[in-house]
């Protein structure tokens, strides 16, 4: 099993460009999450999906949209990238117990 | 809302024991989780305490005191590979954030030879 996979690993964008970060999990988990992590800080929740077809805002949703395409896949879209969105983005999934989350390897995004 | 406090840095020598503390303030509380993250890597789950007391998993133990809103992660027989950041996290069952895990800012552990 691959666990949680994310693409791309690295991305450089110019201000105003758009892109979609992809995430997939093969553990049959219902819940999936998108976090961002800035230097020296903890993880902050952007959006989460408790089950297929549902999504909810987290702590820092502004500037992002998400799609829960099916049970396996959860994508994060930046419609108009800003330098403040330079960060490392992690996708995670969990069973019913949300305290135990499995993370993907991350996407390092630089917005110029 | 929720807030968590943990030391930003801890240094210890190989073979020693180190304790990383975490205090939290939440309206409600399910339990305290701990995650490990090596530089450039993904966070990995270490332990979860829902009840007061000590949970042991190999060289790692985690403790919770709900009455004191306090917990700690104890690492024994430190190895160089334990050098990493350690995050505590809580979930508050009240309000709209009931499904969200809130993470502390992390403690950078450096293990010296």
């Amino acid at each position: 099993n691959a666990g949680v996979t994310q693409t791309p690993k690295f991305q450089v964008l110019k201000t105003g460009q758009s892109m979609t970060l992809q995430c997939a999990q093969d553990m049959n988990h219902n819940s999936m999450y998108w976090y961002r992590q800035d230097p020296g800080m903890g993880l902050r929740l952007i959006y989460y999906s408790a089950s297929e077809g549902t999504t909810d805002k987290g702590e820092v949703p502004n500037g992002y949209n998400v799609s829960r395409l099916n049970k396996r896949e959860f994508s994060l879209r930046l419609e108009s990238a800003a330098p403040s969105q330079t960060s490392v983005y992690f996708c995670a999934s969990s069973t019913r117990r949300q305290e135990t989350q499995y993370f993907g390897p991350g996407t390092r995004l630089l917005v110029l | 809302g929720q807030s968590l406090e943990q030391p930003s840095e801890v240094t210890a020598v190989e073979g020693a024991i180190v304790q990383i503390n975490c205090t939290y303030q939440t309206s409600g509380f399910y339990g305290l989780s701990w995650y490990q993250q090596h530089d450039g890597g993904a966070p990995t789950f270490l332990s979860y305490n829902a009840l007061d007391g000590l949970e042991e998993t190999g060289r790692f133990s985690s403790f919770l005191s709900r009455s004191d809103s306090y917990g700690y992660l104890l690492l024994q027989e430190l190895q160089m590979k334990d050098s990493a950041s350690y995050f505590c996290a809580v979930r508050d069952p009240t309000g709209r954030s009931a499904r969200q895990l809130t993470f502390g800012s992390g403690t950078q552990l450096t293990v010296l030879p």
Side-chain angles (χ1 to χ4, degrees), chain B residues 26-99:
Chain B
T26 61
S27 302
F29 181 76
Y30 271 130
L32 186 68
S33 305
W34 288 94
Y35 284 77
Q36 177 192 59
Q37 185 180 31
H38 287 98
D39 273 351
T44 56
F45 173 78
L46 289 177
S47 68
Y48 172 61
N49 293 66
L51 303 175
D52 285 358
L54 193 68
E55 296 276 344
E56 298 181 59
T57 309
R59 294 187 298 112
F60 293 5
S61 302
S62 56
F63 171 82
L64 175 64
S65 169
R66 296 173 71 108
S67 60
D68 295 323
S69 297
Y70 163 77
Y72 65 74
L73 182 68
L74 191 73
L75 295 80
Q76 303 182 73
E77 300 172 18
L78 279 175
Q79 301 175 9
M80 299 296 290
K81 67 178 181 179
D82 297 330
S83 291
S85 290
Y86 293 84
F87 296 89
C88 57
V90 297
R91 186 161 66 99
D92 183 341
T94 63
R96 67 179 302 275
S97 61
R99 296 180 185 273

Side-chain angles (χ1 to χ4, degrees), chain A residues 48-68:
Chain A
Y48 65 96
S49 171
S51 61
E52 186 178 348
T54 68
T55 60
D56 283 290
K57 295 179 180 179
E59 181 186 353
V60 289
N62 291 346
Y64 306 95
N65 285 302
V66 290
S67 295
R68 183 74 182 266

Side-chain angles (χ1 to χ4, degrees), chain A residues 5-11 19 87-89 105-109:
Chain A
T5 57
Q6 292 182 236
T7 56
K9 287 187 171 58
F10 303 96
Q11 185 71 47
M19 77 163 295
S87 189
V88 181
Y89 291 85
T107 294
R108 282 146 186 81
L109 176 66

Side-chain angles (χ1 to χ4, degrees), chain A residues 24-63:
Chain A
Q25 52 93 8
D26 62 3
M27 295 176 282
N28 202 35
H29 288 166
N30 285 320
S31 300
M32 297 186 74
Y33 314 83
W34 275 106
Y35 292 91
R36 61 177 287 172
Q37 185 176 34
D38 299 304
M41 295 182 69
L43 296 144
R44 292 186 293 168
L45 184 66
I46 305 171
Y47 270 94
Y48 65 96
S49 171
S51 61
E52 186 178 348
T54 68
T55 60
D56 283 290
K57 295 179 180 179
E59 181 186 353
V60 289
N62 291 346

